[in-house]
């Protein structure tokens, strides 16, 4: 059986950044496994700009951002295998995968999970109607338009206001289609404010909050949809139905981390994020397995994915080289108030030396609010926020000196 010090599963932005940082920190015996035919992941079909403002301090398209990291992978002579699908991981870190050479197994000293996420399908939404042609996830439509050169339809309704759906509203418009409406079941958009402005408002595309599709018209091909307003329980309100003629429906109703492999490895999972529970080193409940990027929790900016993945690569290198010691001395970080979840969810008090970057989302829109950090019940710091929304991830830094007293409790409260 072949052995590797470090295996990175996924060659998207998270996997590339993690591999580069691990290499920089002294791990030479590493390998990236990528199921696609090229590196870069989902960025290859994201031809719009807006990437790289935090990382490279300039505006890049998705492929340009990916190429910056692919070039670094090649400069550092980091090996990778394409068209390679990982099938399973066991508790001994044996990774079984299939490629053009057949089924192989590699035993790794450490593993970084960077598989990304997938879109929530129509089947999870329980919308009545036939399964006619013209129904796509927003990401599939993006691939058809940007990579394959096909226009899915000319009269479009979009359900869900996730960032991919907002971006595709603009993209379909630029390609000559008419986007009649974007419907969102929640009372707020799940996308970035900048995308609402640049992709909907700039193109006069209406956004209907607290609305959903209650019926899809047409049998062999979509012929229209019926939208209705929903109540506080997200149930359609009779008498508010309105019909829109269209030949295409795009679903942008959330992303789900690709964690089937994580479940096989028996990692402890977070029911809110659907990703693994990790410490401040991004190590999971299984020693030597790390997680980062959208497989850990769904990010809004790829720059944050790269930052998080770089930390995972550094800590995985420390683990491989024996510098990251096993510890049981953890303190949990709890979400309070309107904070929905926090990453990481625990801090290693024994081995940690650096400040801890904490990322989280709130559960509802908060105006003129604040983020407060409590340690052992005492308020340590308060960060005012003019507005916080579920569609935009929040980031704060816990100073290591705040943890010098070996606290027994930490919580992050949004109000």
């Amino acid at each position: 059986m072949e052995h590797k010090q470090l295996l990175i599963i996924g060659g998207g932005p998270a996997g590339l950044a993690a591999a580069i940082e691990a290499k920089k920190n002294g791990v030479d015996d590493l390998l990236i496994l990528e199921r696609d035919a090229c590196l870069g992941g989902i960025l290859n079909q994201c031809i719009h700009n807006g990437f790289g403002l935090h990382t490279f301090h300039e505006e890049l398209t998705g492929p340009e951002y990916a190429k910056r990291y692919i070039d670094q992978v090649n400069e550092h002579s980091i090996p990778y295998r394409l068209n390679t699908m990982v099938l399973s991981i066991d508790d001994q870190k044996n990774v079984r995968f299939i490629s053009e050479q057949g089924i192989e197994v590699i035993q790794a000293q450490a593993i970084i999970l960077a598989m990304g996420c997938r879109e929530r399908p129509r089947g999870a939404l329980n919308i009545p109607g036939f399964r006619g042609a013209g129904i796509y996830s927003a990401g599939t439509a993006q691939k058809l338009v940007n990579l394959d050169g096909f226009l899915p339809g000319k009269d479009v309704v979009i359900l869900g206001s996730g960032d991919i759906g907002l971006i595709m509203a603009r993209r379909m418009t630029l390609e000559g289609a008419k986007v009649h409406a974007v419907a969102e079941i929640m009372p707020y958009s799940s996308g970035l404010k900048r995308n609402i402005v640049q992709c909907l408002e700039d193109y006069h595309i209406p956004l209907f909050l607290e609305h959903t599709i209650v019926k899809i018209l047409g049998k062999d091909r979509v012929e229209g949809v019926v939208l209705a307003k929903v109540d506080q329980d997200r149930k359609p309100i009779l008498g508010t139905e309105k019909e829109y003629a269209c030949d295409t429906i795009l679903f942008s109703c959330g992303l789900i981390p690709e964690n089937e492999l994580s479940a096989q490895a028996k990692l402890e999972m977070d029911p809110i994020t659907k990703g693994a529970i990790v410490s401040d080193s991004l190590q999971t409940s299984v020693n030597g397995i790390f997680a980062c990027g959208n497989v850990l929790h769904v990010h809004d900016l790829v720059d944050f994915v790269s930052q998080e993945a770089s930390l995972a690569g550094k800590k995985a290198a420390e683990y491989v080289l024996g510098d990251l010691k096993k510890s049981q001395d953890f303190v949990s970080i709890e979400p309070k108030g309107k904070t929905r979840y926090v990453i990481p969810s625990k801090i290693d008090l024994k081995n940690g030396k650096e400040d801890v970057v904490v990322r989280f989302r709130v559960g509802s829109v908060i105006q003129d609010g604040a983020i407060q950090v409590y340690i052992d019940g005492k308020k340590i710091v308060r960060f005012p926020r003019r507005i916080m929304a579920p569609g935009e991830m929040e980031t704060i830094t816990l100073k290591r000196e705040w943890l010098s007293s070996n606290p027994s409790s930490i919580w992050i409260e949004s109000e």
Side-chain angles (χ1 to χ4, degrees):
M1 182 188 297
E2 187 178 356
H3 296 265
K4 289 286 181 184
Q5 286 185 314
L6 177 60
L7 272 182
I8 298 98
I9 302 176
L16 297 177
I20 292 165
E21 197 65 24
K23 180 75 171 184
K24 288 179 179 178
N25 282 271
V27 178
D28 294 318
D29 185 25
L30 75 169
L31 176 65
I32 301 171
L33 301 178
E34 168 56 44
R35 67 183 177 185
D36 209 343
C38 59
L39 296 174
I42 198 68
L43 289 176
N44 292 318
Q45 69 184 51
C46 300
I47 64 173
H48 53 279
N49 60 7
F51 301 90
L53 291 171
H54 296 269
T55 306
F56 299 109
H57 307 293
E58 59 180 306
E59 220 174 18
L60 304 172
T61 65
E64 288 173 332
Y65 187 95
K67 188 175 186 302
R68 298 281 179 100
Y69 280 93
I70 294 170
D71 287 345
Q72 291 183 59
V73 165
N74 293 326
E75 288 168 8
H76 288 90
S77 301
I78 297 173
Y80 55 86
R81 295 182 62 170
L82 304 175
N83 299 308
T84 301
M85 181 75 173
V86 175
L87 303 174
S88 64
I89 303 172
D90 66 17
D91 54 2
Q92 301 299 313
K93 303 188 189 72
N94 294 312
V95 178
R96 185 166 62 100
F97 57 91
I98 187 168
S99 66
E100 295 170 349
Q101 286 73 45
I103 294 179
E104 302 174 64
V105 178
I106 293 178
Q107 186 176 58
Q109 184 179 346
I111 299 170
I112 296 177
L113 304 176
M115 295 89 72
C117 60
R118 65 176 183 269
E119 294 178 281
R120 183 171 284 111
R122 175 197 173 179
L125 304 175
N126 198 28
I127 298 173
F130 291 99
R131 295 178 180 272
I135 301 175
Y136 303 88
S137 69
T140 299
Q142 186 181 59
K143 179 179 183 296
L144 288 171
V145 174
N146 293 346
L147 294 184
D148 301 331
F150 296 111
L151 187 63
K154 293 188 176 180
D155 288 285
V156 185
V157 171
I158 299 176
L159 178 63
S161 59
D163 287 311
I164 304 175
L166 298 177
I167 288 165
M168 282 309 297
R170 176 179 63 185
R171 190 76 182 95
M172 296 290 283
T173 301
L174 293 173
E175 288 297 327
K178 172 66 176 178
V179 180
H180 295 277
V182 175
E184 169 59 59
I185 197 169
M186 301 299 289
Y188 49 80
S189 171
S190 56
L192 293 169
K193 178 62 178 178
R194 75 182 191 192
N195 286 332
I196 297 170
V197 173
Q198 296 173 4
C199 300
L200 297 187
E201 294 177 5
D202 287 356
Y203 293 88
H204 308 291
I205 299 171
L207 171 63
F208 296 116
L209 299 176
E210 296 182 287
H211 280 73
T212 190
I213 294 176
V214 294
K215 189 174 183 181
I216 297 174
L217 307 175
K219 185 174 182 181
D220 296 325
R221 173 83 195 193
V222 171
E223 297 176 3
V225 297
V226 178
L227 296 184
K229 189 173 176 60
V230 299
D231 59 22
Q232 292 182 344
D233 297 321
R234 302 178 200 168
K235 303 296 184 183
I237 301 173
L238 292 176
T240 63
E241 298 88 353
K242 184 175 181 181
E243 185 176 322
Y244 288 84
C246 64
D247 59 17
T248 304
I249 303 169
L250 304 186
F251 289 114
S252 180
C253 300
L255 300 169
I256 305 169
E258 290 271 18
N259 268 307
E260 288 75 15
L261 293 175
S262 307
Q264 288 180 1
K266 296 182 172 58
L267 305 184
E268 188 179 354
M269 307 297 288
D270 187 318
I272 302 297
T273 64
K274 310 300 183 185
I277 291 177
V278 296
S279 67
D280 53 317
S281 65
L282 299 181
Q283 187 168 207
T284 68
S285 57
V286 175
N287 284 328
I289 299 183
F290 300 77
C292 59
N294 284 345
V295 79
L296 179 59
H297 62 130
V298 176
H299 294 62
D300 45 12
L301 297 178
V302 72
D303 301 77
F304 297 154
V305 168
S306 300
Q307 292 172 15
E308 187 176 88
S310 294
L311 175 62
K314 178 183 177 183
K315 293 301 179 180
E318 292 178 4
Y319 177 88
V320 167
L321 301 175
D323 297 328
L324 183 62
K325 306 298 182 183
K326 184 176 180 180
S327 174
Q328 299 297 327
D329 190 11
F330 292 103
V331 58
S332 295
I333 309 178
E334 301 289 340
K336 296 287 186 179
K338 293 185 178 180
T339 304
R340 192 157 183 262
Y341 71 84
V342 291
I343 298 289
S345 54
K346 55 184 178 179
I347 296 176
D348 186 343
L349 296 175
K350 182 177 180 181
N351 295 314
K353 299 177 182 178
E354 304 98 340
D355 294 342
V356 179
V357 175
V358 179
R359 294 189 169 92
F360 62 92
R361 292 182 188 271
V362 294
S364 60
V365 176
I366 304 172
Q367 293 185 335
D368 297 320
I371 301 164
Q372 301 182 127
V373 178
Y374 289 83
I375 296 180
D376 283 337
K378 179 182 178 182
K379 186 193 297 184
I380 299 299
V381 66
R382 183 178 188 272
F383 302 101
R385 290 288 192 273
R386 188 178 66 82
I387 188 167
M388 292 182 280
E392 307 209 17
M393 195 163 62
E394 297 291 334
T395 302
I396 62 171
T397 300
L398 301 182
K399 300 294 184 181
R400 182 55 66 168
E401 57 261 30
W402 299 348
L403 311 174
S404 58
S405 61
N406 291 335
S408 59
S409 69
I410 301 174
W411 67 78
I412 310 294
E413 182 179 80
S414 303
E415 61 172 15

